[in-house]
Amino acid sequence: MKYLLIILLTLFIATTIGSIVIKDTGYVLLSISGWKIETSVVLFFIILFIIFLLLYFLIRSLVRAWQLPEQIRTWKVNKKQYLSEKNIIDGLINMSEGEWGKAEKNFCKAASNSKSPYIIYLFAARAAHAMNSLDKSNEYLRFAYNHEPNAGPAIGLTQAELQLNQKQIVQALATLNNLQEKWPEHLLTKKMLLEAYTALNDWQEVLELLRSIEKEKLYTHDEIEIKKHNAYVGLLKDAGISDDRKKLDNIWEEIPRKLKYHHHLIEVYVREKLKFKDISDSEVILKNAIKKKWDRKLVRLYGLVIGIDPDKQLATAESWLNQYPDDPILLLSLGRICVRNSLWSKAKTYLQKSLDIRENSDTLFEFANLYQKQGDYKQATVYYEKGLRLDKVRKRI
């Protein structure tokens, strides 16, 4: 519509000028330095128009020629940017499809055409790492740092992540500690440090980090509790391995009261404590925990610990029969307590009832122990062999 109006307007003006020229052609006289030029008005305006066009195109050509180098530079920059973006997209698609070699090549091409290649080199490092090309991966990380030294946190975290994936825990820890020292405000560093210390079973450092992370709210309350629980389990087991009873008890005392109610922690603590003598206090811990919540693992341990008052311990375990009369683990524990108290007949009754409900190698071994204490070594050997055969069958299954 716009161009139609311009054409119509042009035709109108041309028609108007034409009609005027036909009525009165007129003439133009020019005198320049003694020279006289006389021509019609129409021819004068035609020549004037042609001169205008020539000047216009000459000036336009000169301007374009002046701007040409800048336009070429702009075109080259735009082309590089286009190629870089295309290669990045292709590289990301390759990564999502698991074509790590193609991804690496595309990222290298993209980096050569990018204004900020360090980010692209980080992707190239990940692709090389996925192909176990560790030297190449480290080389790309160096390229990234050389191009942007101020991007230390991003590069360092990428390096630490790749080291953790490669199980290079000590190297990852060194990288992360360096990052923590230079940029302590980065929360992701703390999360990765927690992962590294957990992999190294350095539970004391894990707990220290958890106290800091808890304030930053990097994890939910439940996640923090689970991680604390695992750390204390690790510390208890380490103390048991070190054969240091005092250390074991000190760790138990340090555990927050809420966590002490966790049956798994109680189980680990008592199991480690069974390595030492005089663990009568464990009987009270187990008894209180079982009263709050029935747990077969703790019931099994209750039969292994020796309380201060053996008769009272037996009475406590027998009171649980009212609610769990056919629990084979409870019956096994009762049999063990009776064996320790030299109540042979009662022990046989409980152990046999446990076997009738579910055949178990522990129960068979306890029968063997009972007959050995009575001096019946033949029967002890029979039950011991039965227990070993059952163990072998269970292991094959």
Side-chain angles (χ1 to χ4, degrees):
M1 190 67 182
K2 177 181 177 182
Y3 293 111
L4 180 60
L5 290 173
I6 292 172
I7 292 169
L8 291 173
L9 181 61
T10 304
L11 287 173
F12 174 74
I13 294 171
T15 304
T16 303
I17 293 171
S19 62
I20 294 171
V21 169
I22 290 170
K23 290 180 183 179
D24 184 7
T25 57
Y27 75 95
V28 174
L29 178 64
L30 294 174
S31 178
I32 304 171
S33 300
W35 290 82
K36 289 184 180 180
I37 300 172
E38 185 178 342
T39 182
S40 66
V41 173
V42 174
L43 183 58
F44 173 77
F45 277 110
I46 290 172
I47 293 170
L48 193 64
F49 181 69
I50 290 171
I51 292 170
F52 171 76
L53 287 178
L54 289 173
L55 287 171
Y56 171 78
F57 284 112
L58 177 62
I59 294 169
R60 186 177 176 86
S61 297
L62 290 172
V63 171
R64 289 293 297 273
W66 178 265
Q67 293 177 341
L68 187 59
E70 182 61 31
Q71 288 176 343
I72 291 173
R73 282 195 295 270
T74 303
W75 175 79
K76 286 182 177 179
V77 170
N78 290 338
K79 185 178 180 182
K80 281 188 174 182
Q81 185 175 353
Y82 167 76
L83 290 174
S84 179
E85 290 175 356
K86 184 180 183 302
N87 287 320
I88 290 172
I89 292 169
D90 290 343
L92 291 173
I93 292 171
N94 294 145
M95 282 186 77
S96 65
E97 294 174 351
E99 295 181 347
W100 307 110
K102 290 182 179 179
E104 182 190 353
K105 289 178 182 177
N106 278 313
F107 288 135
C108 288
K109 290 178 183 177
S112 63
N113 293 317
S114 175
K115 291 181 179 178
S116 301
Y118 84 93
I119 298 174
I120 304 167
Y121 279 128
L122 295 182
F123 283 113
R126 290 179 183 276
H129 181 269
M131 296 186 294
N132 289 322
S133 300
L134 303 184
D135 291 338
K136 272 191 174 182
S137 180
N138 291 330
E139 186 178 8
Y140 290 135
L141 290 172
R142 283 195 297 271
F143 287 163
Y145 184 78
N146 291 337
H147 280 281
E148 189 56 66
N150 292 328
I155 297 167
L157 287 169
T158 302
Q159 184 178 23
E161 182 186 344
L162 299 181
Q163 287 169 335
L164 286 172
N165 291 340
Q166 201 63 30
K167 305 301 180 186
Q168 297 174 331
I169 310 301
V170 176
Q171 294 90 326
L173 194 59
T175 302
L176 291 166
N177 280 326
N178 183 47
L179 288 171
Q180 179 74 358
E181 185 179 344
K182 291 181 178 178
W183 297 280
E185 72 280 2
H186 279 274
L187 300 181
L188 184 56
T189 305
K190 291 182 180 180
K191 292 183 76 170
M192 294 178 72
L193 271 171
L194 184 64
E195 185 179 344
Y197 281 125
T198 301
L200 289 173
N201 295 333
D202 192 338
W203 305 115
Q204 203 60 56
E205 287 292 343
V206 167
L207 288 171
E208 289 296 326
L209 264 174
L210 283 172
R211 293 186 186 102
S212 173
I213 288 174
E214 192 171 13
K215 297 174 185 176
E216 304 291 351
K217 296 185 178 178
L218 290 176
Y219 296 99
T220 65
H221 175 74
D222 290 342
E223 288 174 328
I224 291 287
E225 291 299 296
I226 290 170
K227 291 180 185 298
K228 282 183 179 179
H229 174 276
N230 293 336
Y232 281 118
V233 166
L235 284 173
L236 289 170
K237 288 183 177 180
D238 287 347
I241 293 170
S242 67
D243 200 27
D244 189 337
R245 176 171 179 165
K246 187 177 180 181
K247 183 179 178 181
L248 179 66
D249 288 334
N250 287 340
I251 291 168
W252 180 252
E253 291 302 318
E254 290 173 7
I255 296 176
R257 183 172 293 181
K258 281 186 178 180
L259 286 175
K260 280 185 178 179
Y261 293 128
H262 287 222
H263 279 203
H264 184 231
L265 272 177
I266 296 171
E267 179 195 350
V268 173
Y269 173 58
V270 174
R271 280 193 182 281
E272 296 304 324
K273 205 163 185 181
L274 282 170
K275 299 173 182 178
F276 306 100
K277 295 179 180 179
D278 187 17
I279 55 168
S280 56
D281 56 331
S282 297
E283 186 266 333
V284 179
I285 294 171
L286 289 169
K287 178 175 66 177
N288 293 334
I290 293 167
K291 281 182 178 179
K292 289 178 181 177
K293 184 182 177 182
W294 186 254
D295 188 320
R296 281 184 166 184
K297 291 180 179 179
L298 298 189
V299 172
R300 182 188 294 273
L301 288 174
Y302 192 76
L304 293 172
V305 302
I306 303 173
I308 297 173
D309 187 338
D311 293 333
K312 192 175 180 181
Q313 183 178 0
L314 177 61
T316 298
E318 285 180 329
S319 69
W320 296 333
L321 282 171
N322 296 326
Q323 196 171 354
Y324 305 98
D326 298 319
D327 190 310
I329 301 302
L330 173 58
L331 292 166
L332 169 61
S333 291
L334 281 164
R336 281 173 168 160
I337 295 170
C338 289
V339 168
R340 284 201 303 272
N341 292 352
S342 301
L343 301 172
W344 313 123
S345 178
K346 212 172 189 181
K348 286 180 183 178
T349 302
Y350 285 133
L351 292 174
Q352 189 58 54
K353 192 173 181 182
S354 177
L355 277 179
D356 292 341
I357 297 168
R358 190 180 71 188
E359 196 173 35
N360 185 289
S361 57
D362 285 347
T363 310
L364 291 168
F365 291 144
E366 197 58 47
F367 251 125
N369 180 45
L370 185 154
Y371 283 115
Q372 187 174 346
K373 285 182 178 295
Q374 287 184 310
D376 191 344
Y377 299 107
K378 185 177 180 181
Q379 277 294 94
T381 303
V382 170
Y383 277 97
Y384 184 70
E385 287 176 351
K386 282 183 180 180
L388 287 176
R389 283 197 299 271
L390 186 60
D391 259 350
K392 287 180 181 179
V393 171
R394 294 268 170 87
K395 286 176 181 177
R396 284 201 296 270
I397 293 172

